Amino acid sequence: NAGVTQTPKFRVLKTGQSMTLLCAQDMNHEYMYWYRQDPGMGLRLIHYSVGEGTTAKGEVPDGYNVSRLKKQNFLLGLESAAPSQTSVYFCASRKTGGGNEQFFGPGTRLTVL
Amino acid sequence: DQQVKQNSPSLSVQEGRISILNCDYTNSMFDYFLWYKKYPAEGPTFLISISSIKDKNEDGRFTVFLNKSAKHLSLHIVPSQPGDSAVYFCAARSLTGGGNKLTFGTGTQLKVEL
């Protein structure tokens, strides 16, 4: 099992450009999450999904969109990148029932110039 | 408003001694608490958790204590090892809202010195 994988690992964008971050999990988990981590801020939830075809807003959703067309994939889109979106992005997944722990991917470091 | 607070950004401990990492929360609707460990350039990994109906949970060298009346939890690592050097995040799950969302603290950088 690869667990949770994220593509790409690093990316540099110019202000106004768009991009999509891909998260994939092979654990058949229902729940998936996108977080951003900034210095001194911990991890903040951007968007999440409780199942295929569903998405919901988290704590800091502005400027981002998401899609969950397949159960194993959760995409995070930036339509018009801003320097304030420079951050490390983590995807996580969680199974229904059982423990409450979320399993995290290795992260994507995004810089917006 | 930070609902989960880790007031110590860093902690330095000698190898073999006890490391105590603290976490305070304000939301009384939190019912489950977790600790995650994070190495540089990696994602957080789950370490240990505790339900709000318990006051202690132990797993090997790691013990989490929960004091509900004080809205405080702590992670004890005994004995501390150099490989424990990492950032530790406290997280909490709320009974309200859907999605089993977690609220994270800002993290404590633990350094275990030889």
Side-chain angles (χ1 to χ4, degrees), chain A residues 31 33 35 37 40-45 48 50 57-59 90 94 99-107 109, chain B residues 1-2 32 34 36 38 41-46 49 87 89 93 97-107:
Chain A
Y31 296 84
Y33 308 84
Y35 294 89
Q37 185 196 6
M41 301 290 286
L43 287 98
R44 291 182 294 168
L45 182 64
Y48 65 100
V50 301
K57 293 180 179 180
E59 181 186 358
F90 290 101
R94 177 190 174 275
N100 292 290
E101 61 265 32
Q102 296 177 11
F103 296 84
F104 282 81
R109 183 173 292 275
Chain B
D1 181 32
Q2 193 77 21
Y32 203 86
L34 305 90
Y36 280 83
K38 185 184 178 307
E42 295 183 11
T45 55
F46 170 72
S49 62
V87 176
F89 290 100
R93 185 191 74 168
N100 282 279
K101 300 187 293 293
L102 297 178
T103 301
F104 284 83
T106 53

Side-chain angles (χ1 to χ4, degrees), chain B residues 43-75:
Chain B
T45 55
F46 170 72
L47 192 57
I48 192 170
S49 62
I50 187 167
S51 165
S52 60
I53 62 174
K54 296 186 176 182
D55 55 17
K56 177 183 175 181
N57 187 28
E58 191 172 353
D59 183 2
R61 296 187 296 114
F62 303 92
T63 302
V64 56
F65 295 92
L66 175 62
N67 182 333
K68 281 186 66 177
S69 61
K71 293 190 173 66
H72 176 83
L73 66 156
S74 60
L75 174 68

Side-chain angles (χ1 to χ4, degrees), chain A residues 2-113:
Chain A
V4 180
T5 57
Q6 293 183 232
T7 310
K9 288 185 168 46
F10 304 93
R11 185 72 187 267
V12 178
L13 289 179
K14 294 182 180 178
T15 297
Q17 287 185 317
S18 63
M19 79 161 294
T20 300
L21 282 67
L22 171 63
C23 176
Q25 52 95 4
D26 60 2
M27 298 176 283
N28 202 34
H29 286 174
E30 289 292 334
Y31 296 84
M32 296 188 75
Y33 308 84
W34 275 107
Y35 294 89
R36 58 178 289 174
Q37 185 196 6
D38 302 293
M41 301 290 286
L43 287 98
R44 291 182 294 168
L45 182 64
I46 304 171
H47 285 281
Y48 65 100
S49 169
V50 301
E52 181 179 320
T54 73
T55 62
K57 293 180 179 180
E59 181 186 358
V60 288
D62 294 343
Y64 305 94
N65 57 75
V66 287
S67 63
R68 183 101 181 266
L69 298 179
K70 293 183 178 181
K71 184 177 184 179
Q72 64 267 33
N73 295 339
F74 195 28
L75 279 64
L76 178 70
L78 286 74
E79 289 187 351
S80 180
S84 61
Q85 294 177 304
T86 293
S87 188
V88 180
Y89 292 85
F90 290 101
C91 175
S93 71
R94 177 190 174 275
K95 64 181 180 181
T96 305
N100 292 290
E101 61 265 32
Q102 296 177 11
F103 296 84
F104 282 81
T108 295
R109 183 173 292 275
L110 175 66
T111 301
V112 183
L113 302 176

